[in-house]
Amino acid sequence: VEVVMKFKLVDENVDYVGAYYHFGKFCETQNDVTNAIKIYDKGIEIAKKVRDNHALAELMEARNSI
């Protein structure tokens, strides 16, 4: 259920960069590193698109810490 809710949050709010960070962290807690990386990478792409440098830095840090 929580995975579906997290995915729905990202799917319905494509440009809400924070959703990618939190969904990636959730995947990490589930030991789903492959999807966490994919989610962080997509979030990084969106953060660049919307020019959110703060979120970009957080996503890159999370991605690089895996």
Side-chain angles (χ1 to χ4, degrees):
V1 173
E2 190 170 353
V3 173
V4 172
M5 290 174 57
K6 296 276 188 184
F7 179 75
K8 189 173 182 179
L9 177 64
V10 170
D11 192 44
E12 292 180 354
N13 302 282
V14 177
D15 288 341
Y16 174 55
V17 184
Y20 296 92
Y21 178 84
H22 293 292
F23 192 18
K25 285 294 182 186
F26 173 77
C27 288
E28 285 189 63
T29 67
Q30 303 302 302
N31 295 317
D32 188 356
V33 175
T34 301
N35 277 322
I37 290 170
K38 289 178 186 176
I39 292 161
Y40 290 141
D41 287 345
K42 182 65 176 175
I44 289 167
E45 176 185 320
I46 298 298
K48 288 177 181 177
K49 176 183 149 194
V50 299
R51 295 188 172 130
D52 186 338
N53 292 329
H54 178 76
L56 176 60
E58 288 183 335
L59 285 160
M60 290 177 73
E61 183 177 337
R63 169 68 165 82
N64 293 333
S65 72
I66 293 179

